[in-house]
Amino acid sequence: MPAVVVVGMQWGDEGKGKVIDFLAEGAAWTVRFQGGANAGHTIHFGGARFALHLLPSGAVRAGVRCGLGWGMVIDPGRLLEEIEALEARGISVRDRILVSGRATLLLPHHAARDRAEEAARTGTPIGTTGRGIGPAYESRAARAALLLADLAEPDGEEKLRIVHESTNERLSASGAEPIAWEPLLASWRRWRAEIVPLLGDLSGAIEVALARGERVLFEGAQGTHLDLYAGTYPFVTSSSTLAAGACAGCGIGPTRIERVIGVAKAYATRVGAGPFPTEATAEEGARLRERGSERGTTTGRPRRCGWLDIPMLRAAVRWNGISGIALTKADVLSGRKTVPVAVAYDLDGERIAHPPLSPSALARVRPVFEEWPGWETIPPNASRVEDLPPNLVRYAERIASSVGAPIVLLSTGPAREQTVACTIGTSAD
Ligand code: IMP
């Protein structure tokens, strides 16, 4: 399967980092196509834990090449920090990175504005990560952004000065301290020296890899319901998190994609504000948070926790064209007699199978819960479906038949080895 896209089916934090790391065995490339350092992909291996924010998950696998597509917003300072942190642990990555020169350059002004504007949203904060994502995409849409390719241009510093002055005006208007010019210029020169060697034509490199039959994994950040268009607007991120975003964000055609893997946690979590129909009670939520270590990788914020939401997953299957589901963190639910699962919603007295598109209707829906049988502890060395508790397999089957896509991976713990490749369930009810 040469070109595979991996996306989150919920609100991010589904365990995509681990799934991509597992699938990256034998892959030539892992490629990020949207978002920026708002993402946080956690990978555990060899007893160590790695949190990646800008680099794709293949960064921790020797020999796997790492692409950063033009759909991303990239803070070069953070990218260098991440590269250096891996180097400090003996993982050399510079010679494996290729960054599209058309990616948007995220400046300190964007992050400062993100925080100032979020602080000003006193009534309804979005709960952004404060990494400047929204303002950087806004600059791009306004055709006022710098691109990473500008770092290499002779007039780059002049362009930086113009953007610096205008974005500082926006910053002051939002009540934040302006960014100082001299340190910015010093950073720019360092970025020019260290980032320019990483720039190139990612689209062309992927085309060559696919023509050779090599495997390329496109790694979505955040999740389906944080997509700028499809998600729970306005409580969303500012990029296209859907599988089609891989094409638009890297310069590859949709006919090249062979498979789309959706990653879903066995329950649900959300960081930041916005509708969350299956959110658990405070007590149940605290128990899930504790057992599942549900804290944001990027911001350290506690995640809101709740139950599996079938209407949300159904929508994710359709909007992404998901051909297989990786179900993660089933171990967190072990030991329960039953597990609540929302199989539909009640909207003003009517039963509906898909999330309504109006944000206020979504805020009003009431989940229709069923109690599905729970399972005992999962054997630590489970490697085949036969090793799994039968009720967990039944849980996976019911999800597959309810949403119309098979479960193809079942993750039973944080380590690489705690992953069962399978085919559970095949068709819709
Ligand atoms: P932004 O992407 O920083 O603008 O944040 C917008 C919304 O997306 C907020 O609710 C964030 O908490 C959420 N968000 C952004 N990145 C992630 C992620 O990687 N995982 C989960 N939530 C995220």
Side-chain angles (χ1 to χ4, degrees), residues 4 11 46 60 62 89 108 137 146 171 198 214 227 235-236 242 281 286 361 372 391:
V4 178
W11 286 280
V60 299
R89 296 165 86 165
Y137 278 113
L146 292 166
L171 244 190
L198 311 179
E214 293 174 352
D227 178 88
F235 303 99
V236 293
L242 301 185
T281 59
W372 291 5
N391 277 352

Side-chain angles (χ1 to χ4, degrees), residues 297-388:
T297 314
T298 301
T299 59
R301 287 180 289 177
R303 295 177 183 146
R304 297 158 65 193
C305 296
W307 307 110
L308 197 71
D309 184 328
I310 296 288
M312 286 281 169
L313 298 186
R314 268 191 201 115
V317 169
R318 187 204 288 166
W319 294 339
N320 293 291
I322 285 170
S323 47
I325 297 174
L327 189 68
T328 63
K329 299 188 90 164
D331 51 308
V332 173
L333 298 177
S334 299
R336 294 184 62 94
K337 210 159 169 291
T338 59
V339 180
V341 174
V343 294
Y345 295 149
D346 180 303
L347 176 63
D348 306 331
E350 193 192 335
R351 189 177 164 119
I352 53 173
H354 286 263
L357 296 182
S358 143
S360 23
L362 183 61
R364 279 204 314 280
V365 298
R366 290 205 321 271
V368 178
F369 280 115
E370 282 181 359
E371 291 289 332
W372 291 5
W375 52 90
E376 289 312 311
T377 309
I378 302 168
N381 50 357
S383 61
R384 299 165 312 151
V385 175
E386 301 79 68
D387 303 331
L388 298 171

Side-chain angles (χ1 to χ4, degrees), residues 49 63 72 80 104 110 126 136 164 187 230 283 360:
R49 175 181 175 277
M72 291 185 72
L80 290 173
T104 302
H110 295 126
I126 293 172
H164 165 72
S187 298
E283 197 183 314
S360 23

Side-chain angles (χ1 to χ4, degrees), residues 11-13 38-40 126-130 133 222 226 236-237 271-272 301:
W11 286 280
D13 310 315
N38 49 348
I126 293 172
T128 71
T129 58
I133 307 302
Q222 293 84 48
L226 287 174
V236 293
T237 192
V271 245
R301 287 180 289 177

Side-chain angles (χ1 to χ4, degrees), residues 52-210:
L52 300 172
H53 300 286
L54 280 164
L55 286 173
S57 306
V60 299
R61 286 211 181 241
V64 177
R65 301 203 61 194
C66 298
L68 285 81
W70 64 43
M72 291 185 72
V73 287
I74 299 174
D75 173 342
R78 278 194 187 274
L79 178 57
L80 290 173
E81 272 171 29
E82 214 163 292
I83 292 171
E84 283 157 11
L86 287 180
E87 286 172 344
R89 296 165 86 165
I91 300 178
S92 95
V93 70
R94 273 177 219 258
D95 55 342
R96 297 188 280 125
I97 297 179
L98 184 59
V99 184
S100 169
R102 285 199 194 166
T104 302
L105 198 151
L106 187 147
L107 288 166
H109 312 62
H110 295 126
R113 244 187 73 203
D114 189 5
R115 291 190 289 267
E117 291 176 359
E118 183 65 12
R121 289 185 192 111
T122 44
T124 47
I126 293 172
T128 71
T129 58
R131 295 286 167 93
I133 307 302
Y137 278 113
E138 190 188 311
S139 306
R140 180 71 181 237
R143 291 152 292 188
L146 292 166
L147 308 188
L148 289 188
D150 287 317
L151 285 167
E153 294 302 325
D155 63 348
E157 288 185 9
E158 187 45 35
K159 281 184 165 174
L160 176 68
R161 182 183 286 280
I162 295 166
V163 168
H164 165 72
E165 282 165 9
S166 61
T167 43
N168 252 352
E169 276 168 29
R170 285 289 302 273
L171 244 190
S172 306
S174 59
E177 282 295 306
I179 302 291
W181 169 248
E182 287 303 330
L184 178 67
L185 184 61
S187 298
W188 176 272
R189 290 179 179 164
R190 176 170 175 240
W191 301 340
R192 186 167 59 206
E194 296 197 47
I195 298 284
V196 170
L198 311 179
L199 301 182
D201 174 12
L202 180 62
S203 159
I206 293 172
E207 189 57 34
V208 169
L210 292 178

